[in-house]
Amino acid sequence: MAQVGREVDDFLMYFILMEKIPVGTRAVEPGRLCCMSEESYIQSVTADQNPAHSLSVSVMEDNVHIDADVNVLHPLSRKQAALLVAIPSPRERLCCFLDRGPLDQAVRAEVGQQVLVEHEQKLFPALLHYVGSLLNTSTLLPPVYFGVELEGEGEGRGDMDGSYKGVTFFKCKKNSGLLVPFNKVLFCGIPPLEEVGIPSLDTSSSNTVNSGDKAAFFVNSSLKRGLVISSNQTAARFVEVLPQEDNVSDNQTSASDWKSPNNGEKVNENFRDRNLEVNSLVQIQYKEQELAFGIIRWLGYLPKMEDTMAGVELEEDKGCTDGSWLSCRYFFCPPKRGIFVKLKVCQPDTRFLSGKDGQPKSLEVSTHRIYESQSVQGKVPPLQEKAAVDVLEGDMRGIQGHCNSCYMDAALFSLFSCSSVLDCLLFKPSSLPNGEIQQTLREEIVNPLRKKGFVSADSVMMLRHQLMQESQCPSFTTSEKDPEEFLNLIMHRILGADPLLKLQSEGQRVQECYCYQIFIEKRQELTVPNVQQLLEQSFHHSNLKLTEVPSCFIIQMPRFGKDYKMFSKIVPSLQLDITDLLYNSPRECVVCGHLATEECADCFKDVILSDLGTKQYCTVCCTQVHTHHKRKDHKPVPLKVPEGFPKAQGLHKIHRETLELFAVLCIETSHYVSFVKYGAEKDRWMFFDSMADRYGSENGYNIPRVSLCPEVATYLSSPLEELLNQNPREMKGVAKRLFCDAYMYMYQSKRMALYK
């Protein structure tokens, strides 16, 4: 799913209703668009420092208010909402949203590009002239339409010349213009990034098509699209269809089942005999003594080539294409990673072969196994420096994903691969008498990860089954959860671990929790904040202090669900200074550096005195600062100095209490990944994805990958102004995901971990 952006001047939040909501004697059907003010949303989620379970939203088309569970409200950007509202049928609108590919392409569409338009049950080439609303209206969100000029056979089959109700939106030939919603447009100039399937093509069209041409057609009134892979002079015989994201049908034909329309024979028995198909892992002789490894992204025939060809995405930059051949695109991959070779030169990747038959193992749905996972008993220390690289780097490394497990895979890898801060969870007596879940976590997941560098999907599934039974939640083995839900369950209810955080608001009792959710007010000056700033703002907003230094501090970013983000980029703070966030702890005056005796919450936003948000002063500086006419109404409060601490100014250096960042859990397109710091140097970062690749199709298995990403250190050390102007798409490697997709930051205090 594409990432939802944020509009700078938009102070409304938009949602699409995913399920039916009863309202009195009727119901609000799914597909309706809803909205609420940003201010109301922030008030809802900050109430009692707990996220709201439901939101009060307005149904835009019915002008009614409903209370809806947050899980049935999917956030939209303003641009997405405006495109969807142009589709009159809520049912069709929801289908278009779930399809996502065309919607994401419509958001990126630009005037002047060539498109195909569905009109009169046919597709016609067209030129996009206009994108926008039609007339001035009092509608809260004016729908966005596409103004197109039909070309070729479509010329003269439109209903306008670019004018609508006396207003000219664009100019085109008479009766060649149309104003249509985005679901009637095929954005052929903006390629979708999907996998491949092979349906048959209706050859009734009289249009001349050639091998390699892009094609679109109707099957049972349903629009299909793809590339021609075989043709005669008048009609395409086969097309390779690029299905919509996450919508590959179960009855799609694999490459081994391509048939000729004339005689029904297989195109090439080689496909089946060699067990090679789209998504097969292969190796190719690159040089005399060198192999190149990759994954088949496309199978078929190329123009003027008799042999069956394979389009392969290589692991390294040893190729010569990005998936295009003779100006036609057959698959998508990074530049210099693609290559077209004869299928017969491809061999199964021997790194993933096992057994005497030399065939890759498959992850059977019934058992969830690919490799027999051997449990590792005892204590295995976390990996650091060279040992981390030797054990963890590469394919089939880390924790293998299966069946929506990425939230758990990424969380476990982040917490345990290279840090021991929560090893108490592995050995402290469990709150459950039999301790099976703790044993599984220790001996089937953490210890094998640290010793062998790989944890198979069956080990994680074993843990998920146990969590399902203990929590009585049947979806634990099938559905994606939030990482904080998983961490709270296993740490609190099952392992009975002491709370990681103890928080207190003035005059209130101590609150205990395992993760901290940041809630802040919108501040225009914070365009690219760092974690330190966000944490200080959140504590100030909620009037909170830490009653003790935590050994592990897990911080959730200010966002709604998996999509809505308050900030497009957040800079990770490698060191988190919590000195001024501690309750009854000695602190320095922000002006002179002596022992502080008073704190002023009203000075928080004053950047003249200090860049720090939290402001505390010694007695002298507090008096001087508040003689200024802008601060006369401020109300400083006295600070308590711990007993035994020298109160004479300047006699004792205040110790700064800092935590170090050891992992970041990120989410993009509903998929969790993680960054882990594996050494002291700035460039010691590795990136983990439990489903980075896949072998086979339905009965195949996911390939986890751990890769080094030293490039993130370059951006972490960049000036804020450079980061502000940095285009995320131009960031090298996986750095974009660290800065733009952060969901949860994990900090540790090695000093305090010794006592836990």
Side-chain angles (χ1 to χ4, degrees), residues 593-606:
H594 289 170
L595 181 66
T597 57
E598 296 182 71
E599 180 181 28
C600 183
D602 298 318
C603 288
F604 184 85
K605 297 180 181 180
D606 196 330

Side-chain angles (χ1 to χ4, degrees), residues 211-228:
S211 298
D213 286 351
K214 294 177 180 178
F217 53 96
F218 287 94
V219 177
N220 296 328
S221 299
S222 177
L223 178 63
K224 305 291 182 182
R225 65 200 77 181
L227 296 171
V228 179

Side-chain angles (χ1 to χ4, degrees), residues 382-645:
L383 297 162
Q384 284 285 299
E385 300 294 350
K386 186 177 183 298
V389 177
D390 292 343
V391 175
L392 291 173
E393 185 188 16
D395 282 356
M396 277 312 204
R397 291 293 183 267
I399 303 173
Q400 185 184 36
H402 175 64
C403 197
N404 296 315
S405 68
C406 62
Y407 73 98
M408 188 179 294
D409 307 328
L412 291 172
F413 188 89
S414 298
L415 288 173
F416 294 108
S417 60
C418 299
S419 173
S420 61
V421 68
L422 288 183
D423 276 16
C424 58
L425 298 178
L426 307 177
F427 300 100
K428 183 179 179 180
S430 170
S431 60
L432 297 181
N434 55 19
E436 286 185 357
I437 293 180
Q438 185 182 51
Q439 182 178 356
T440 299
L441 178 63
R442 180 180 64 247
E443 298 179 2
E444 300 289 340
I445 297 177
V446 177
N447 284 355
L449 175 65
R450 293 174 175 179
K451 188 171 183 178
K452 302 176 181 180
F454 175 76
V455 178
S456 64
D458 64 324
S459 295
V460 178
M461 187 58 71
M462 184 189 308
L463 178 63
R464 295 174 76 183
H465 272 290
Q466 293 172 338
L467 292 174
M468 176 188 69
Q469 294 170 0
E470 183 59 33
S471 64
Q472 297 182 344
C473 177
S475 62
F476 245 110
T477 58
T478 56
S479 302
E480 182 180 286
K481 304 287 184 183
D482 293 326
E484 62 272 20
E485 180 182 356
F486 160 62
L487 294 176
N488 279 316
L489 172 66
I490 197 167
M491 285 194 280
H492 175 52
R493 288 180 52 184
I494 295 175
L495 299 181
D498 295 332
L500 300 178
L501 301 175
K502 295 184 178 180
L503 305 168
Q504 187 171 18
S505 182
E506 188 67 35
Q508 304 294 320
R509 63 183 181 86
V510 174
Q511 305 172 41
E512 297 180 336
C513 57
Y514 295 90
C515 303
Y516 179 74
Q517 170 73 61
I518 283 183
F519 295 112
I520 61 174
E521 296 176 339
K522 177 65 177 176
R523 290 180 61 184
Q524 296 296 334
E525 66 271 18
L526 274 184
T527 53
V528 181
N530 58 39
V531 180
Q532 181 79 42
Q533 292 172 317
L534 295 178
L535 183 65
E536 289 182 358
Q537 277 207 41
S538 184
F539 268 52
H540 171 73
H541 176 73
S542 303
N543 191 25
L544 290 175
K545 294 290 183 185
L546 289 163
T547 61
E548 62 179 41
V549 179
S551 59
C552 183
F553 200 167
I554 301 176
I555 307 173
Q556 294 173 243
M557 289 300 98
R559 60 191 301 158
F560 172 59
K562 303 178 180 65
D563 302 295
Y564 172 76
K565 300 189 301 183
M566 187 171 285
F567 301 99
S568 60
K569 287 196 288 276
I570 297 175
V571 180
S573 298
L574 298 180
Q575 297 288 328
L576 195 65
D577 192 330
I578 61 170
T579 309
D580 298 334
L581 305 180
L582 291 169
Y583 189 74
N584 286 349
S585 178
R587 293 151 65 184
E588 293 178 350
C589 172
V590 296
V591 178
C592 67
H594 289 170
L595 181 66
T597 57
E598 296 182 71
E599 180 181 28
C600 183
D602 298 318
C603 288
F604 184 85
K605 297 180 181 180
D606 196 330
V607 295
I608 297 178
L609 299 171
S610 171
D611 291 335
L612 299 175
T614 306
K615 306 290 194 304
Q616 61 277 330
Y617 312 95
C618 66
T619 304
V620 175
C621 291
C622 187
T623 301
Q624 293 177 344
V625 164
H626 289 92
T627 56
H628 194 280
H629 69 278
K630 290 185 178 180
R631 306 187 191 97
K632 284 187 176 181
D633 295 332
H634 289 192
K635 298 178 181 179
V637 295
L639 292 174
K640 295 181 181 179
V641 179
E643 294 184 8
F645 190 85

Side-chain angles (χ1 to χ4, degrees), residues 159-205:
D159 56 17
M160 62 184 303
D161 60 0
S163 297
Y164 177 71
K165 292 188 176 181
V167 178
T168 300
F169 294 95
F170 60 94
K171 293 183 179 180
C172 70
K173 295 179 181 178
K174 185 178 180 181
N175 294 329
S176 294
L178 289 173
L179 284 166
V180 294
F182 79 91
N183 63 324
K184 300 296 182 182
V185 182
L186 177 65
F187 302 94
C188 44
I190 306 179
L193 302 176
E194 294 99 358
E195 299 178 356
V196 226
I198 313 288
S200 61
L201 174 66
D202 181 359
T203 60
S204 60
S205 171

Side-chain angles (χ1 to χ4, degrees), residues 21-304:
I21 299 292
V23 179
T25 58
R26 62 187 186 91
V28 179
E29 57 188 320
R32 293 288 186 185
L33 297 186
C34 307
C35 68
M36 69 182 301
S37 70
E38 184 179 276
E39 181 181 2
S40 298
Y41 166 71
I42 293 176
Q43 290 176 351
S44 297
V45 298
T46 56
D48 300 324
Q49 288 77 52
N50 289 319
H53 296 293
S54 64
L55 295 174
S56 179
V57 295
S58 298
V59 182
M60 294 166 52
E61 298 146 290
D62 295 341
N63 197 27
V64 297
H65 293 272
I66 61 172
D67 289 329
D69 189 288
V70 295
N71 295 312
V72 302
L73 291 171
H74 198 293
L76 302 168
S77 69
R78 187 181 192 280
K79 187 175 290 186
Q80 287 176 316
L83 289 167
L84 287 167
V85 79
I87 301 174
S89 166
R91 181 185 296 273
E92 185 177 359
R93 183 187 302 154
L94 182 60
C95 291
C96 291
F97 170 73
L98 295 174
D99 206 4
R100 296 311 297 270
L103 176 59
D104 294 339
Q105 292 173 330
V107 169
R108 294 181 287 147
E110 296 180 354
V111 171
Q113 73 181 73
Q114 293 290 332
V115 296
L116 296 173
V117 176
E118 179 188 345
H119 183 55
E120 298 176 347
Q121 286 294 302
K122 294 182 180 180
L123 278 175
F124 298 106
L127 182 64
L128 182 58
H129 281 294
Y130 176 76
V131 180
S133 56
L134 298 186
L135 299 171
N136 293 330
T137 174
S138 59
T139 305
L140 183 63
L141 182 67
V144 167
Y145 293 89
F146 290 80
V148 298
E149 179 180 5
L150 299 176
E151 298 178 335
E153 292 187 6
E155 186 175 329
R157 302 177 71 164
D159 56 17
M160 62 184 303
D161 60 0
S163 297
Y164 177 71
K165 292 188 176 181
V167 178
T168 300
F169 294 95
F170 60 94
K171 293 183 179 180
C172 70
K173 295 179 181 178
K174 185 178 180 181
N175 294 329
S176 294
L178 289 173
L179 284 166
V180 294
F182 79 91
N183 63 324
K184 300 296 182 182
V185 182
L186 177 65
F187 302 94
C188 44
I190 306 179
L193 302 176
E194 294 99 358
E195 299 178 356
V196 226
I198 313 288
S200 61
L201 174 66
D202 181 359
T203 60
S204 60
S205 171
S206 60
N207 295 334
T208 301
V209 291
N210 299 306
S211 298
D213 286 351
K214 294 177 180 178
F217 53 96
F218 287 94
V219 177
N220 296 328
S221 299
S222 177
L223 178 63
K224 305 291 182 182
R225 65 200 77 181
L227 296 171
V228 179
I229 63 172
S230 179
S231 67
N232 56 27
Q233 292 183 351
T234 59
R237 294 182 179 178
F238 303 100
V239 294
E240 177 175 89
V241 171
L242 302 176
Q244 295 304 318
E245 184 177 9
D246 297 329
N247 195 31
V248 180
S249 62
D250 294 333
N251 60 357
Q252 278 184 320
T253 312
S254 69
S256 62
D257 293 326
W258 289 359
K259 297 181 179 180
S260 165
N262 295 328
N263 53 27
E265 296 176 353
K266 297 287 179 84
V267 171
N268 196 319
E269 290 291 340
N270 235 6
F271 286 14
R272 182 183 62 190
D273 295 341
R274 295 165 58 83
N275 287 290
L276 294 179
E277 58 182 2
V278 171
N279 290 334
S280 289
L281 294 170
V282 294
Q283 61 187 35
I284 305 166
Q285 194 73 35
Y286 179 62
K287 294 179 181 179
E288 287 188 10
Q289 302 295 328
E290 186 177 350
L291 292 174
F293 299 95
I295 184 169
I296 294 179
R297 295 300 189 192
W298 174 86
L299 285 172
Y301 295 103
L302 293 174
K304 301 179 182 180

Side-chain angles (χ1 to χ4, degrees), residues 318-367:
K318 296 180 178 180
C320 56
T321 178
D322 61 355
S324 299
W325 190 75
L326 295 180
S327 301
C328 291
R329 178 169 297 283
Y330 293 85
F331 65 97
F332 298 89
C333 71
K336 297 184 179 180
R337 288 289 182 94
I339 189 171
F340 290 94
V341 296
K342 295 178 181 179
L343 179 63
K344 61 186 178 183
V345 308
C346 297
Q347 300 294 329
D349 192 334
T350 56
R351 297 174 300 174
F352 305 117
L353 296 181
S354 67
K356 299 179 181 179
D357 58 358
Q359 297 302 322
K361 293 184 177 180
S362 294
L363 180 62
E364 298 296 334
V365 176
S366 59
T367 61

